[in-house]
Amino acid sequence: MSRDAGVRSGRAVAGDRRVAAAVVLSGVSCALHIGKLPVAIPVLKDSMGLSLVEAGFLLSVVQMAGLALGLLVGTVADRLGARRVMLAGLVLLALGSLGGALAQSAALLLLSRVMEGLGFLWAVLPAPALLRQRVRDPATQSRALGWWGAYMPMGTALALLVGGALVDVIGWRALWLLLAGLSLLAALGLKVSLPADALGMPTASGPNSTGLRARLVRTLGAPGPWAVALAFFLYSGQWMAVIGFLPTIYQQAGHAGWVLGGLTALAAGVNMTGNIGAGRGLARQTPPHRLLLAGFVAMGLGGWLAFAAGSTMWWQYVGVLLFSAFGGLVPGTLFGIAVRLAPDESTVSTTVGWMQQWSALGQFIGPPLVAALAVHLGGWSGSWWFTLACSVAGGGVAFWIARLWSALPASSGSPRDGRASMNQLKPGSGPP
């Protein structure tokens, strides 16, 4: 390679990294809106007169939006363009947060949260497609998708760590305004970093343009979107159940205050190490099913150590950290391969939306199932049966994904090295 070519290649990689940073940081800003609410609930109950049921609706509305609209929003993003929809989502998220800061009743606060939920979906679902389109270096793209998988634990952990203190110092309304401004700043950074004509990507009227119904049919008729969606469902259900009930478990054990908040924030935050590790693994050509198997095995082992091993509280917490940290390999890998297991270039956001819909379903039904199991058994010690069942099923899906991955055409790199082109899967590569 000549010196000039090497310089151009280095500049291209640096540009890819700037694009990836803008997209990932935008995702973190979105996740802050998810994490801001739990720390503010006690203050909201006092200042707004929220009932426990109303607080529950505020907490669940984003997941309900994902459960109901994930596939549709993803399809719209594929139709209108990932960059355009992501920018609109960040602005809508900011407007929702602004509306919440100005709300004078629980009903208006709930309405603002609905707007935030829609903005969140519009902002995060197109991101993997945007990284797929704009980050051209294969290794950088794999790492970027791994980092993208970490946006949620990174943002929520940060909100859990500092959100409570900010609510005490500046008040919850000021925090809502601060995060609204941060979302607008993220939108500005994204707009500057990813100009509309940056890489001459086809628009909605380009050659890959088709109707919404056609995209839905192609997505739901292919095995790849179902495989990644089912894997995410089996991951998210158990992760949300364990991390979601962690404060309750440790509060019942006599811990409270900053210890409780710190333990929960750390358990959620270490999840990003697995996500980032998955991106690096894919960049180093590690087969994705091995990363998925490692994640699900660690979740099964961590769940057993946390709930059934009969060890001390701190060894149980080590199990939780193992469960969350290595479990992060699962979403990091799924985001990395979803863009390639989509039926074609024009259905990436639709595929991610379908995956998000199943993720929301897992988060919706996982915690109640674990709670029912704990009530039935008279304690949390039997919860590991749920995590074990999810992990074993997840391992089975990982082998299915291995078959789908090996069936990808190798027109632009080996399909097994994380650099495969995104073309149609070969016929007959459905579930075993």
Side-chain angles (χ1 to χ4, degrees), residues 11-76:
R11 288 175 178 171
V13 171
D16 283 350
R17 290 173 178 171
R18 284 193 296 271
V19 168
V23 174
V24 172
L25 289 175
S26 295
V28 173
S29 74
C30 295
L32 289 171
H33 289 275
I34 305 300
K36 71 183 181 184
L37 194 60
V39 297
I41 285 292
V43 177
L44 288 171
K45 289 176 67 177
D46 293 337
S47 63
M48 301 287 289
L50 287 180
S51 68
L52 191 60
V53 173
E54 289 170 331
F57 274 116
L58 286 174
L59 287 169
S60 65
V61 69
V62 174
Q63 291 163 345
M64 291 299 294
L67 180 60
L69 300 173
L71 181 63
L72 179 60
V73 172
T75 307
V76 170

Side-chain angles (χ1 to χ4, degrees), residues 2-189:
S2 68
R3 181 177 179 181
D4 289 344
V7 171
R8 286 195 299 270
S9 177
R11 288 175 178 171
V13 171
D16 283 350
R17 290 173 178 171
R18 284 193 296 271
V19 168
V23 174
V24 172
L25 289 175
S26 295
V28 173
S29 74
C30 295
L32 289 171
H33 289 275
I34 305 300
K36 71 183 181 184
L37 194 60
V39 297
I41 285 292
V43 177
L44 288 171
K45 289 176 67 177
D46 293 337
S47 63
M48 301 287 289
L50 287 180
S51 68
L52 191 60
V53 173
E54 289 170 331
F57 274 116
L58 286 174
L59 287 169
S60 65
V61 69
V62 174
Q63 291 163 345
M64 291 299 294
L67 180 60
L69 300 173
L71 181 63
L72 179 60
V73 172
T75 307
V76 170
D78 277 326
R79 173 66 178 172
L80 299 181
R83 174 184 177 273
R84 182 181 294 115
V85 172
M86 192 169 184
L87 286 172
L90 287 167
V91 172
L92 186 60
L93 193 56
L95 291 176
S97 193
L98 175 62
L102 300 177
Q104 298 298 321
S105 68
L108 290 176
L109 187 61
L110 181 60
L111 182 62
S112 74
R113 192 63 175 170
V114 171
M115 186 180 294
E116 287 182 0
L118 293 174
F120 178 84
L121 285 181
W122 278 64
V124 302
L125 290 187
L130 203 55
L131 292 171
R132 166 71 173 161
Q133 294 167 359
R134 304 300 179 90
V135 179
R136 290 303 191 183
D137 178 65
T140 304
Q141 184 186 113
S142 292
R143 287 192 290 268
L145 287 165
W147 274 95
W148 175 253
Y151 84 91
M152 182 62 83
M154 196 182 306
T156 52
L158 182 60
L160 288 170
L161 282 174
V162 304
L166 286 175
V167 169
D168 291 339
V169 174
I170 65 175
W172 72 269
R173 294 183 188 274
L175 177 60
W176 261 237
L177 289 173
L178 178 65
L179 293 182
L182 189 61
S183 291
L184 292 177
L185 187 62
L188 178 61

Side-chain angles (χ1 to χ4, degrees), residues 322-346:
L322 173 68
F323 172 91
S324 183
F326 283 87
L329 289 169
V330 176
T333 302
L334 292 175
F335 277 117
I337 65 175
V339 300
R340 299 177 178 93
L341 288 179
D344 53 59
E345 188 84 29
S346 67

Side-chain angles (χ1 to χ4, degrees), residues 196-271:
D197 58 351
L199 292 175
M201 294 303 300
T203 63
S205 61
N208 289 331
S209 175
T210 55
L212 300 183
R213 185 174 181 276
R215 281 193 175 89
L216 289 173
V217 170
R218 287 205 310 279
T219 301
L220 298 183
W226 285 95
V228 294
L230 184 56
F232 221 123
F233 167 78
L234 294 167
Y235 160 80
S236 67
Q238 58 175 319
W239 191 87
M240 182 57 69
V242 172
I243 302 302
F245 280 122
L246 198 61
T248 302
I249 294 171
Y250 286 147
Q251 189 176 47
Q252 292 175 354
H255 299 281
W258 69 269
V259 174
L260 186 62
L263 291 175
T264 305
L266 179 60
V270 296
N271 184 257

Side-chain angles (χ1 to χ4, degrees), residues 396-423:
V397 176
F399 284 110
W400 178 18
I401 288 175
R403 289 184 57 189
L404 298 177
W405 194 253
S406 66
L408 285 171
S411 57
S412 66
S414 168
R416 298 169 181 82
D417 67 0
R419 305 184 186 187
S421 64
M422 186 169 52
N423 299 309

